[in-house]
Amino acid sequence: MELLSPVTQIGGVGEKTAKTLQKIDVSTVKDLLYYLPRTYKDLSTIKKISEVKFGETAFLEVKIFTQPQVKRIRRGLEITSFQVTDATGIANVDIFNQIYIKNNLTVGQTIYLYGKLEFKFSKIVISAPEIYFKKPDNPFLPIYPLTAGLKQNMMRKFVKDALYKTELKEYYSTGFLQEFKLPDIKKALHDVHFPNDIETASVARARIVFDELLVFNRMMELLGEEKRQKSAAQLTDVQDNRDDFLSRLSFELTGAQLRVMKEMESDLTKDMAMNRLVQGDVGSGKTVIAFYAMHCMYEAGFQSVLMAPTEILAQQHYETAKELFDQQQIVCVTGALSAKSRKEINAKIADGEVKIIIGTHALLYGNVKFAKLGLIITDEQHRFGVKQRAALTGDKSDVHTLIMSATPIPRSLQLVLFGNTDISIVDELPPGRKPVKTYLIHQNKYQDMISFIKNELHAKHQAYIVCPLIEDSENMEAKSATQIFNEMKQYYAGFRMALIHGKMKNMEKQEIMDSFCAGEIDVLVSTTVIEVGINVPNATSMVVINAERFGLAQLHQLRGRVGRGSAQSYCFLVSDNESAYERLRVLTNTNDGFEIAEQDMQMRGTGDILGTRQHGTSTLKVANLIADIRQLEQTRDVLKIMKKNRQFAQEYRAITQAARRELKNKMIEIALN
């Protein structure tokens, strides 16, 4: 049986079971073997009844002391009861809804029980234990994360069958295994599922994680290698550009902003295409850095594209650009354009008549052709990927790339994930900004919050109220924006209010945002359409309804819509979901986006780093980028050794081929491209 054989080739796996296995992403024999246990059932030590504390789960060797009796409690509940002893004590055993088992039990028979000892009704009781009629061959039994329709014994049987029948080839040489102290793959897969002890299981898992992270790191290298191309837009001296640009601004930049601008200048004057990631917390002023890069290209006669994740933000960037550049040289491309307008703009771009092109994903459609494209700026949240880049550049690799990351990437992952990308961090807020004070609001404090915001409104400030839903839903216990809007109209009678959400027409949304920016609306009730980039310095209050329905990073982004002026600002996280309190309190304790991103990743998973999923299921099936961070760094060092050491040339080629296959299979679309 081959690793890539369908799982139906395993004994006992029919079409129905195969469909159930697909729910846990198991379709092939390889998927099954690499579906690792989350923990183990310890059957290595037989305990005496007298040694076990109440509430403790233990493995016991006992003799049946009394004849089993079946009691019918009610319809659908039958209990088989009997007593067992091991000479140190007597315990009562209750087995539920398995009356057939009575025929297999006789007084004096030795059996093995795995279960929890409890003290009930003045008796020692073992309720619903697992029964073994002989001592299990394996001292540790795997426990897998399963879904409905699968049972632990089924999975153990399937895995044993796969281990027995599958031809497992070692793809490292003996020298390689010895150099890096690795067990062979056949032993590792057996020991990770059926170990003799926990240490053996740990060593086996480490081998499997090593393999996955080695390929993962090579994948990241390949991505980086593809990007480092000769630049077709190499600039000469840009010092004058900076002085000219700064003179156009009505505010002073922070030291961090100036530092990043100088780092970009160095990139743009080299003969290699720039590939820089600019990270910064919400409100740190990343946008002005992007415009400076566009200014440098503009002065050199090249065109620049700035991709925004929403039409509202694209329009806001367009208005800002008009203050910095010749209006005749700027266009804004969104889905709201008429066919005629779009055709006219495309003609201007193709002729080189315009140099500053701002837009949304609408730029990707309509066969846009550039006269002299030199720079693409994307927002990491936009998930701008390989195919999208090719749609803009015609698959050219010599265009400068700048990625603006609104969500800080945990420091522990920067080196690995962006090892071939230059990173700049904007780690200062503009002068005069105060940290946003954040509070977790339960039902008993809701009215106090309403009154507090009313005072802010009387002080001529503005407020956002964000909801997870547009309209009421029977399938979700959460208040909708429509419901909250009607509720808030009663609380804030006399104040100007508006409702905005994603289903509105673009023109309508833009009119509402323009009015809010102009101070003509006091309270804006919305969905997450206002999440990114909206800049209204007079807004001092942010309320998030059903905050438990949002991730920490997203909540941090929402909070970033306030605190953009000199006045003290506030964020209220409204939730009565007790299970979410610990997670939400992270935001009340810190305004550091990097710390929040780290904790969000620990709680929600790393996400599909090489794909499009933001959280939850990971690109990596076995490794964990938090728990295995040391192995992540170790395998990166191993790759360097493999490159230099001819002895490992065969392994290096194999790892490279595996990485290329993974990249191809995943149809990677990440912000790095």
Side-chain angles (χ1 to χ4, degrees), residues 63-109:
K63 289 183 182 295
I64 298 175
F65 189 58
T66 62
Q67 189 65 37
Q69 302 293 323
V70 176
K71 296 178 184 177
R72 184 183 176 92
I73 306 301
R74 62 175 183 272
R75 187 176 182 181
L77 178 58
E78 294 170 321
I79 302 178
T80 303
S81 300
F82 55 97
Q83 289 184 324
V84 296
T85 183
D86 64 0
T88 71
I90 296 174
N92 293 269
V93 178
D94 291 332
I95 307 292
F96 299 94
N97 293 331
Q98 298 181 50
I99 58 174
Y100 61 86
I101 204 167
K102 176 186 174 183
N103 301 326
N104 298 322
L105 302 172
T106 58
V107 175
Q109 179 182 3

Side-chain angles (χ1 to χ4, degrees), residues 217-347:
N217 272 310
R218 186 68 184 112
M219 289 163 74
M220 301 308 296
E221 283 188 346
L222 289 171
L223 287 170
E225 289 167 8
E226 290 175 3
K227 286 186 284 287
R228 293 299 170 147
Q229 303 292 328
K230 287 279 187 179
S231 172
Q234 183 182 1
L235 307 186
T236 52
D237 183 35
V238 292
Q239 177 65 48
D240 293 340
N241 287 340
R242 193 194 325 150
D243 295 338
D244 179 40
F245 183 77
L246 294 178
S247 69
R248 301 182 184 209
L249 302 178
S250 59
F251 53 88
E252 288 192 13
L253 299 183
T254 64
Q257 288 171 311
L258 290 169
R259 183 186 70 246
V260 175
M261 287 165 61
K262 289 177 183 177
E263 289 169 351
M264 288 194 310
E265 289 172 4
S266 176
D267 290 342
L268 296 174
T269 54
K270 291 177 181 175
D271 62 351
M272 303 298 286
M274 176 176 71
N275 186 46
R276 184 168 291 277
L277 168 72
V278 176
Q279 291 192 93
D281 221 335
V282 287
S284 60
K286 298 180 293 296
T287 304
V288 71
I289 294 171
F291 277 120
Y292 175 60
M294 299 178 86
H295 175 77
C296 291
M297 304 307 294
Y298 175 87
E299 291 297 321
F302 289 95
Q303 294 172 306
S304 299
V305 170
L306 172 57
M307 295 281 292
T310 66
E311 294 197 9
I312 290 174
L313 190 53
Q315 191 64 36
Q316 184 172 294
H317 286 329
Y318 177 62
E319 295 300 324
T320 303
K322 288 196 293 187
E323 299 174 8
L324 299 172
F325 303 99
D326 178 358
Q327 292 192 27
Q328 302 300 315
Q329 292 284 314
I330 315 168
V331 291
C332 185
V333 179
T334 69
L337 288 175
S338 65
K340 181 181 178 182
S341 297
R342 181 63 189 269
K343 186 176 181 180
E344 291 173 354
I345 287 176
N346 283 356

Side-chain angles (χ1 to χ4, degrees), residues 458-497:
H458 280 303
K460 304 301 181 184
H461 293 305
Q462 295 162 275
Y464 296 100
I465 300 176
V466 180
C467 309
L469 305 174
I470 297 174
E471 298 170 340
D472 292 341
S473 170
E474 295 180 0
N475 301 321
M476 201 177 292
E477 292 184 11
K479 289 188 175 182
S480 68
T482 305
Q483 180 184 352
I484 288 294
F485 179 67
N486 292 328
E487 182 182 312
M488 293 299 167
K489 282 197 296 188
Q490 300 175 30
Y491 291 137
Y492 300 123
F495 291 100
R496 299 162 298 179
M497 297 184 63

